[in-house]
Amino acid sequence: GRKVINVLYWFARVVMVEDLETNSVDSNIPYAEAVKLKPENVYMANARCRVAYNKLLQIFQKEDFVIQEYRKKAK
């Protein structure tokens, strides 16, 4: 449901930040620091977060639909 998707979204975000921290070691590109910075325009940051959340939700819904269709055809 909604809570599971919210947890998955935040888990994916944490994994992304950790991956950026790992891959930006010994490089001149401060990806991890940029991700952790507090945005100047909180409204735009929330809007971007909502767009990403909705896109993730659409991906999960499409994946569920495809799995259901495969199950129907398998019967």
Side-chain angles (χ1 to χ4, degrees), residues 27-42:
S27 70
N28 294 329
I29 305 170
Y31 288 120
E33 289 81 13
V35 171
K36 290 183 177 181
L37 288 177
K38 184 158 176 89
E40 292 178 15
N41 187 347
V42 177

Side-chain angles (χ1 to χ4, degrees), residues 15-30:
V15 169
M16 180 194 73
V17 170
E18 291 297 321
D19 184 55
L20 288 173
E21 286 177 351
T22 303
N23 291 331
S24 66
V25 173
D26 296 331
S27 70
N28 294 329
I29 305 170

Side-chain angles (χ1 to χ4, degrees), residues 36-61:
K36 290 183 177 181
L37 288 177
K38 184 158 176 89
E40 292 178 15
N41 187 347
V42 177
Y43 174 77
M44 286 301 293
N46 286 335
R48 287 188 189 117
C49 180
R50 198 73 200 151
V51 168
Y53 180 83
N54 288 336
K55 184 65 177 172
L56 181 65
L57 179 62
Q58 289 173 356
I59 290 168
F60 286 149
Q61 288 173 336

Side-chain angles (χ1 to χ4, degrees), residues 49-75:
C49 180
R50 198 73 200 151
V51 168
Y53 180 83
N54 288 336
K55 184 65 177 172
L56 181 65
L57 179 62
Q58 289 173 356
I59 290 168
F60 286 149
Q61 288 173 336
K62 185 175 181 180
E63 181 181 7
D64 184 54
F65 176 77
V66 169
I67 290 170
Q68 288 179 7
E69 289 297 314
Y70 280 134
R71 287 182 181 160
K72 285 180 186 176
K73 291 180 181 179
K75 289 182 180 181

